[in-house]
Amino acid sequence: MKDKIFETLYEMTKKKYQKYFKKSIPWNIKPDELIGYDEQSLGFHYGNFILKNNFQMQPKLEDHDVFHVLTNIGTSVSEEIAMQYFLLGNGKKSLYLVLVILSGTAFYPTHYKRFYECYQKGKKAHRLYDLEYQKLLLQPISVLKQTLNIK
Protein backbone atom coordinates (compact mmCIF):
# COMPACT_ATOMS: atom_id res chain seq x y z
CA MET A 1 0.00 0.00 0.00
CA LYS A 2 2.86 2.41 0.84
CA ASP A 3 4.44 1.71 -2.52
CA LYS A 4 1.18 2.48 -4.32
CA ILE A 5 0.84 5.81 -2.49
CA PHE A 6 4.39 6.82 -3.48
CA GLU A 7 3.91 5.72 -7.09
CA THR A 8 0.66 7.70 -7.32
CA LEU A 9 2.30 10.81 -5.84
CA TYR A 10 5.16 10.49 -8.31
CA GLU A 11 2.83 10.22 -11.29
CA MET A 12 0.84 13.22 -10.05
CA THR A 13 3.91 15.43 -9.70
CA LYS A 14 6.14 14.23 -12.56
CA LYS A 15 4.70 16.40 -15.33
CA LYS A 16 4.80 19.58 -13.23
CA TYR A 17 8.38 18.80 -12.16
CA GLN A 18 9.41 18.27 -15.80
CA LYS A 19 7.70 21.46 -16.94
CA TYR A 20 8.63 23.91 -14.20
CA PHE A 21 11.88 22.66 -12.68
CA LYS A 22 13.81 20.75 -15.35
CA LYS A 23 15.45 23.13 -17.81
CA SER A 24 17.41 20.56 -19.80
CA ILE A 25 16.61 19.64 -23.38
CA PRO A 26 15.08 16.19 -23.93
CA TRP A 27 17.47 13.71 -25.48
CA ASN A 28 16.78 12.93 -29.10
CA ILE A 29 17.67 9.24 -28.98
CA LYS A 30 15.82 5.97 -28.54
CA PRO A 31 16.79 2.93 -26.44
CA ASP A 32 17.04 0.82 -29.61
CA GLU A 33 19.76 3.17 -30.86
CA LEU A 34 21.58 3.10 -27.52
CA ILE A 35 21.91 -0.67 -27.49
CA GLY A 36 23.76 -0.34 -30.77
CA TYR A 37 26.58 1.46 -28.94
CA ASP A 38 29.69 -0.37 -27.77
CA GLU A 39 28.75 -2.89 -25.05
CA GLN A 40 31.12 -1.21 -22.58
CA SER A 41 29.60 2.25 -23.08
CA LEU A 42 27.27 4.14 -20.78
CA GLY A 43 24.84 4.47 -23.68
CA PHE A 44 24.60 0.72 -24.18
CA HIS A 45 24.04 0.12 -20.46
CA TYR A 46 21.48 2.93 -20.28
CA GLY A 47 19.53 1.61 -23.28
CA ASN A 48 19.67 -1.89 -21.83
CA PHE A 49 18.37 -0.60 -18.48
CA ILE A 50 15.42 1.14 -20.15
CA LEU A 51 14.49 -1.91 -22.24
CA LYS A 52 15.08 -4.49 -19.48
CA ASN A 53 12.81 -2.60 -17.09
CA ASN A 54 10.24 -1.91 -19.80
CA PHE A 55 10.56 1.84 -19.15
CA GLN A 56 9.95 4.77 -21.43
CA MET A 57 12.58 7.48 -21.59
CA GLN A 58 11.14 10.45 -19.71
CA PRO A 59 11.86 13.76 -21.48
CA LYS A 60 14.17 15.98 -19.38
CA LEU A 61 14.49 13.19 -16.76
CA GLU A 62 16.91 10.91 -18.63
CA ASP A 63 19.74 11.66 -16.18
CA HIS A 64 17.81 10.09 -13.32
CA ASP A 65 17.86 6.67 -14.99
CA VAL A 66 21.55 7.14 -15.78
CA PHE A 67 22.08 7.51 -12.01
CA HIS A 68 20.50 4.07 -11.58
CA VAL A 69 22.83 2.63 -14.19
CA LEU A 70 25.95 4.15 -12.62
CA THR A 71 25.11 3.40 -8.98
CA ASN A 72 23.39 0.02 -9.39
CA ILE A 73 20.59 1.26 -7.15
CA GLY A 74 17.34 -0.41 -8.18
CA THR A 75 13.97 1.07 -9.03
CA SER A 76 11.57 -0.18 -6.35
CA VAL A 77 9.99 2.57 -4.27
CA SER A 78 12.41 2.09 -1.37
CA GLU A 79 15.33 2.01 -3.82
CA GLU A 80 14.13 5.26 -5.40
CA ILE A 81 14.22 6.78 -1.93
CA ALA A 82 17.71 5.33 -1.45
CA MET A 83 18.71 7.03 -4.72
CA GLN A 84 17.59 10.37 -3.31
CA TYR A 85 19.73 9.71 -0.23
CA PHE A 86 22.69 9.00 -2.53
CA LEU A 87 22.08 12.28 -4.37
CA LEU A 88 21.74 14.20 -1.10
CA GLY A 89 25.07 12.76 0.03
CA ASN A 90 26.50 13.79 -3.32
CA GLY A 91 25.49 17.40 -2.70
CA LYS A 92 22.26 17.75 -4.63
CA LYS A 93 19.66 19.92 -3.01
CA SER A 94 16.13 20.43 -4.22
CA LEU A 95 12.69 20.71 -2.71
CA TYR A 96 11.64 17.52 -4.50
CA LEU A 97 14.59 15.58 -3.06
CA VAL A 98 13.89 16.80 0.47
CA LEU A 99 10.21 15.91 0.21
CA VAL A 100 11.03 12.39 -1.01
CA ILE A 101 13.57 11.87 1.77
CA LEU A 102 11.30 13.16 4.54
CA SER A 103 8.26 11.21 3.43
CA GLY A 104 10.30 8.16 2.47
CA THR A 105 12.04 7.99 5.82
CA ALA A 106 8.68 8.28 7.60
CA PHE A 107 7.07 5.58 5.44
CA TYR A 108 10.06 3.22 5.38
CA PRO A 109 11.83 3.49 8.76
CA THR A 110 13.00 -0.13 8.53
CA HIS A 111 15.07 0.81 5.45
CA TYR A 112 16.96 3.57 7.19
CA LYS A 113 20.23 1.58 7.34
CA ARG A 114 20.17 1.16 3.54
CA PHE A 115 19.28 4.83 3.08
CA TYR A 116 22.22 5.88 5.25
CA GLU A 117 24.59 3.58 3.34
CA CYS A 118 23.50 5.20 0.06
CA TYR A 119 23.96 8.65 1.60
CA GLN A 120 27.53 7.70 2.56
CA LYS A 121 28.25 6.33 -0.93
CA GLY A 122 26.99 9.59 -2.38
CA LYS A 123 29.31 11.55 -0.11
CA LYS A 124 32.31 9.49 -1.25
CA ALA A 125 31.47 9.83 -4.94
CA HIS A 126 32.56 12.87 -6.92
CA ARG A 127 29.80 15.28 -7.84
CA LEU A 128 27.73 13.58 -10.51
CA TYR A 129 24.21 14.94 -10.33
CA ASP A 130 24.70 17.81 -12.78
CA LEU A 131 26.85 16.30 -15.51
CA GLU A 132 25.70 16.31 -19.12
CA TYR A 133 25.31 12.56 -19.54
CA GLN A 134 24.09 12.77 -23.10
CA LYS A 135 27.62 13.87 -24.03
CA LEU A 136 29.07 10.89 -22.12
CA LEU A 137 27.01 8.09 -23.66
CA LEU A 138 29.94 6.77 -25.71
CA GLN A 139 32.28 6.63 -22.71
CA PRO A 140 33.07 3.28 -21.08
CA ILE A 141 30.89 2.85 -18.00
CA SER A 142 33.79 1.41 -16.00
CA VAL A 143 35.87 4.55 -16.64
CA LEU A 144 32.98 6.79 -15.60
CA LYS A 145 32.41 4.85 -12.38
CA GLN A 146 36.10 4.98 -11.57
CA THR A 147 36.40 8.68 -12.43
CA LEU A 148 33.32 9.51 -10.33
CA ASN A 149 34.47 7.22 -7.50
CA ILE A 150 31.25 5.21 -7.49
CA LYS A 151 31.70 2.04 -5.49
PDB file of all heavy atoms in Angstrom, residues 18 21-27 59-63:
ATOM      1  N   GLN A  18       8.763  18.172 -14.483  1.00  0.00           N
ATOM      2  CA  GLN A  18       9.411  18.271 -15.798  1.00  0.00           C
ATOM      3  C   GLN A  18       9.227  19.664 -16.398  1.00  0.00           C
ATOM      4  O   GLN A  18      10.160  20.233 -16.944  1.00  0.00           O
ATOM      5  CB  GLN A  18       8.817  17.239 -16.767  1.00  0.00           C
ATOM      6  CG  GLN A  18       9.279  15.832 -16.553  1.00  0.00           C
ATOM      7  CD  GLN A  18       8.499  14.859 -17.402  1.00  0.00           C
ATOM      8  OE1 GLN A  18       7.291  14.710 -17.239  1.00  0.00           O
ATOM      9  NE2 GLN A  18       9.186  14.192 -18.312  1.00  0.00           N
ATOM     10  N   PHE A  21      10.591  22.719 -13.366  1.00  0.00           N
ATOM     11  CA  PHE A  21      11.881  22.664 -12.684  1.00  0.00           C
ATOM     12  C   PHE A  21      13.028  22.150 -13.538  1.00  0.00           C
ATOM     13  O   PHE A  21      14.172  22.494 -13.303  1.00  0.00           O
ATOM     14  CB  PHE A  21      11.777  21.821 -11.405  1.00  0.00           C
ATOM     15  CG  PHE A  21      10.873  22.438 -10.382  1.00  0.00           C
ATOM     16  CD1 PHE A  21       9.582  21.982 -10.218  1.00  0.00           C
ATOM     17  CD2 PHE A  21      11.320  23.480  -9.599  1.00  0.00           C
ATOM     18  CE1 PHE A  21       8.744  22.560  -9.280  1.00  0.00           C
ATOM     19  CE2 PHE A  21      10.494  24.061  -8.658  1.00  0.00           C
ATOM     20  CZ  PHE A  21       9.197  23.603  -8.493  1.00  0.00           C
ATOM     21  N   LYS A  22      12.754  21.307 -14.500  1.00  0.00           N
ATOM     22  CA  LYS A  22      13.808  20.751 -15.348  1.00  0.00           C
ATOM     23  C   LYS A  22      13.990  21.629 -16.574  1.00  0.00           C
ATOM     24  O   LYS A  22      13.076  21.787 -17.372  1.00  0.00           O
ATOM     25  CB  LYS A  22      13.490  19.308 -15.762  1.00  0.00           C
ATOM     26  CG  LYS A  22      13.436  18.329 -14.611  1.00  0.00           C
ATOM     27  CD  LYS A  22      14.727  18.254 -13.844  1.00  0.00           C
ATOM     28  CE  LYS A  22      15.744  17.422 -14.539  1.00  0.00           C
ATOM     29  NZ  LYS A  22      16.976  17.219 -13.816  1.00  0.00           N
ATOM     30  N   LYS A  23      15.168  22.205 -16.714  1.00  0.00           N
ATOM     31  CA  LYS A  23      15.448  23.129 -17.814  1.00  0.00           C
ATOM     32  C   LYS A  23      16.230  22.478 -18.950  1.00  0.00           C
ATOM     33  O   LYS A  23      16.484  23.096 -19.960  1.00  0.00           O
ATOM     34  CB  LYS A  23      16.224  24.350 -17.291  1.00  0.00           C
ATOM     35  CG  LYS A  23      15.517  25.094 -16.178  1.00  0.00           C
ATOM     36  CD  LYS A  23      14.161  25.604 -16.612  1.00  0.00           C
ATOM     37  CE  LYS A  23      13.481  26.335 -15.473  1.00  0.00           C
ATOM     38  NZ  LYS A  23      12.063  26.449 -15.628  1.00  0.00           N
ATOM     39  N   SER A  24      16.605  21.232 -18.772  1.00  0.00           N
ATOM     40  CA  SER A  24      17.406  20.557 -19.797  1.00  0.00           C
ATOM     41  C   SER A  24      16.563  20.267 -21.042  1.00  0.00           C
ATOM     42  O   SER A  24      15.337  20.282 -21.004  1.00  0.00           O
ATOM     43  CB  SER A  24      17.992  19.258 -19.235  1.00  0.00           C
ATOM     44  OG  SER A  24      16.964  18.404 -18.779  1.00  0.00           O
ATOM     45  N   ILE A  25      17.254  19.982 -22.116  1.00  0.00           N
ATOM     46  CA  ILE A  25      16.608  19.643 -23.384  1.00  0.00           C
ATOM     47  C   ILE A  25      16.449  18.121 -23.443  1.00  0.00           C
ATOM     48  O   ILE A  25      17.395  17.389 -23.144  1.00  0.00           O
ATOM     49  CB  ILE A  25      17.455  20.146 -24.572  1.00  0.00           C
ATOM     50  CG1 ILE A  25      17.558  21.666 -24.518  1.00  0.00           C
ATOM     51  CG2 ILE A  25      16.877  19.678 -25.894  1.00  0.00           C
ATOM     52  CD1 ILE A  25      18.575  22.252 -25.469  1.00  0.00           C
ATOM     53  N   PRO A  26      15.258  17.644 -23.821  1.00  0.00           N
ATOM     54  CA  PRO A  26      15.076  16.189 -23.933  1.00  0.00           C
ATOM     55  C   PRO A  26      16.074  15.584 -24.923  1.00  0.00           C
ATOM     56  O   PRO A  26      16.406  16.198 -25.937  1.00  0.00           O
ATOM     57  CB  PRO A  26      13.649  16.039 -24.451  1.00  0.00           C
ATOM     58  CG  PRO A  26      12.976  17.318 -24.113  1.00  0.00           C
ATOM     59  CD  PRO A  26      14.041  18.376 -24.147  1.00  0.00           C
ATOM     60  N   TRP A  27      16.532  14.393 -24.609  1.00  0.00           N
ATOM     61  CA  TRP A  27      17.471  13.709 -25.481  1.00  0.00           C
ATOM     62  C   TRP A  27      16.738  13.239 -26.730  1.00  0.00           C
ATOM     63  O   TRP A  27      15.639  12.721 -26.649  1.00  0.00           O
ATOM     64  CB  TRP A  27      18.087  12.521 -24.777  1.00  0.00           C
ATOM     65  CG  TRP A  27      18.900  12.877 -23.572  1.00  0.00           C
ATOM     66  CD1 TRP A  27      19.035  14.106 -22.989  1.00  0.00           C
ATOM     67  CD2 TRP A  27      19.678  11.985 -22.790  1.00  0.00           C
ATOM     68  NE1 TRP A  27      19.850  14.033 -21.901  1.00  0.00           N
ATOM     69  CE2 TRP A  27      20.266  12.724 -21.757  1.00  0.00           C
ATOM     70  CE3 TRP A  27      19.934  10.626 -22.866  1.00  0.00           C
ATOM     71  CZ2 TRP A  27      21.101  12.165 -20.796  1.00  0.00           C
ATOM     72  CZ3 TRP A  27      20.758  10.054 -21.910  1.00  0.00           C
ATOM     73  CH2 TRP A  27      21.338  10.815 -20.903  1.00  0.00           C
ATOM     74  N   PRO A  59      11.215  12.532 -21.021  1.00  0.00           N
ATOM     75  CA  PRO A  59      11.863  13.760 -21.478  1.00  0.00           C
ATOM     76  C   PRO A  59      12.296  14.654 -20.315  1.00  0.00           C
ATOM     77  O   PRO A  59      11.536  14.873 -19.374  1.00  0.00           O
ATOM     78  CB  PRO A  59      10.776  14.446 -22.311  1.00  0.00           C
ATOM     79  CG  PRO A  59       9.860  13.338 -22.722  1.00  0.00           C
ATOM     80  CD  PRO A  59       9.890  12.344 -21.598  1.00  0.00           C
ATOM     81  N   LYS A  60      13.528  15.116 -20.375  1.00  0.00           N
ATOM     82  CA  LYS A  60      14.169  15.978 -19.382  1.00  0.00           C
ATOM     83  C   LYS A  60      14.545  15.243 -18.095  1.00  0.00           C
ATOM     84  O   LYS A  60      15.140  15.827 -17.207  1.00  0.00           O
ATOM     85  CB  LYS A  60      13.300  17.183 -19.022  1.00  0.00           C
ATOM     86  CG  LYS A  60      12.999  18.104 -20.170  1.00  0.00           C
ATOM     87  CD  LYS A  60      12.237  19.301 -19.656  1.00  0.00           C
ATOM     88  CE  LYS A  60      11.904  20.278 -20.736  1.00  0.00           C
ATOM     89  NZ  LYS A  60      11.198  21.438 -20.191  1.00  0.00           N
ATOM     90  N   LEU A  61      14.177  13.961 -17.967  1.00  0.00           N
ATOM     91  CA  LEU A  61      14.487  13.193 -16.762  1.00  0.00           C
ATOM     92  C   LEU A  61      15.423  12.020 -17.057  1.00  0.00           C
ATOM     93  O   LEU A  61      15.579  11.123 -16.231  1.00  0.00           O
ATOM     94  CB  LEU A  61      13.194  12.673 -16.111  1.00  0.00           C
ATOM     95  CG  LEU A  61      12.168  13.721 -15.684  1.00  0.00           C
ATOM     96  CD1 LEU A  61      10.919  13.051 -15.144  1.00  0.00           C
ATOM     97  CD2 LEU A  61      12.763  14.669 -14.659  1.00  0.00           C
ATOM     98  N   GLU A  62      16.046  12.034 -18.220  1.00  0.00           N
ATOM     99  CA  GLU A  62      16.906  10.914 -18.626  1.00  0.00           C
ATOM    100  C   GLU A  62      18.049  10.689 -17.635  1.00  0.00           C
ATOM    101  O   GLU A  62      18.419   9.547 -17.359  1.00  0.00           O
ATOM    102  CB  GLU A  62      17.484  11.168 -20.027  1.00  0.00           C
ATOM    103  CG  GLU A  62      16.458  11.243 -21.126  1.00  0.00           C
ATOM    104  CD  GLU A  62      15.944  12.648 -21.409  1.00  0.00           C
ATOM    105  OE1 GLU A  62      16.234  13.568 -20.603  1.00  0.00           O
ATOM    106  OE2 GLU A  62      15.261  12.817 -22.416  1.00  0.00           O
ATOM    107  N   ASP A  63      18.603  11.783 -17.102  1.00  0.00           N
ATOM    108  CA  ASP A  63      19.738  11.658 -16.184  1.00  0.00           C
ATOM    109  C   ASP A  63      19.418  10.788 -14.977  1.00  0.00           C
ATOM    110  O   ASP A  63      20.278  10.069 -14.483  1.00  0.00           O
ATOM    111  CB  ASP A  63      20.199  13.035 -15.688  1.00  0.00           C
ATOM    112  CG  ASP A  63      20.884  13.845 -16.765  1.00  0.00           C
ATOM    113  OD1 ASP A  63      21.131  13.310 -17.867  1.00  0.00           O
ATOM    114  OD2 ASP A  63      21.177  15.018 -16.499  1.00  0.00           O
TER     115      ASP A  63
END
